[in-house]
Each structure stands twice: as C-alpha cells, then as structure tokens.
Amino acid sequence: LDCWDGGAPSYEPILTHGKTLTSNIKARDAIATIAAAYEALPPAARTPLVLSLEMHCTPPQQVKLAELFKAALGERLLPPGDGVLRS
C-alpha cells in the first residue's frame, strides 16, 4: 500500500502510486474494504493477512493511518512485539 499525505478537505492519508498519473483513493476506504473482505471469508479461510506499507506520510498522517487501521481491524492486528521474528 503506497501511503501518502492527503490534502484538503479531509487531510486524511491516501493510497496512490506516487509521482505517476494514477488516481488515488482514501486510505480509510481501502482499509474498510480490506476489513470487510476479510470478514466475509469463512472462518476456516481467515489466514493471516500481511499488508506491506510504503510510507511517504508525515508523522501526523502516520498517526492518522494507524488510527484508521486500529478502528477497522481492531483485535485482528498483531501488536508490536507479539510473535515478530527479529534477527
């Protein structure tokens, strides 16, 4: 997910392929869609989902992005330090 600062009027993070002519979508909408699609799966099919973020957001927008993920995914998020392999 290629994350960038959003502009007026919402100033919420957006997802877009940076510095190209592609359109963008609100991070809020993409995260809600990911959460809804995951919930629509049968329980046996709900394997871990790994999302890769390419972060271009400023720190305040990063905080907003984290809030959006927490609101949409809640307990389904792996907390920092839980089961994360480190070298």
Side-chain angles (χ1 to χ4, degrees):
L1 303 175
D2 206 351
C3 307
W4 293 82
D5 286 355
S10 70
Y11 293 100
E12 286 195 357
I14 58 170
L15 303 181
T16 190
H17 189 63
K19 300 184 181 166
T20 64
L21 297 177
T22 59
S23 59
N24 58 56
I25 60 173
K26 294 177 185 176
R28 172 186 303 278
D29 295 342
I31 295 166
T33 300
I34 291 166
Y38 188 80
E39 285 301 312
L41 292 171
R46 293 181 190 163
T47 59
L49 175 65
V50 176
L51 301 175
S52 174
L53 305 180
E54 185 175 326
M55 189 57 60
H56 302 280
C57 293
T58 58
Q61 293 268 301
Q62 290 177 31
V63 169
K64 182 62 181 173
L65 198 55
E67 291 169 353
L68 293 171
F69 274 108
K70 288 178 186 176
L73 299 172
E75 295 294 317
R76 295 181 298 267
L77 291 173
L78 182 65
D82 268 9
V84 177
L85 299 176
R86 291 181 175 76
S87 58

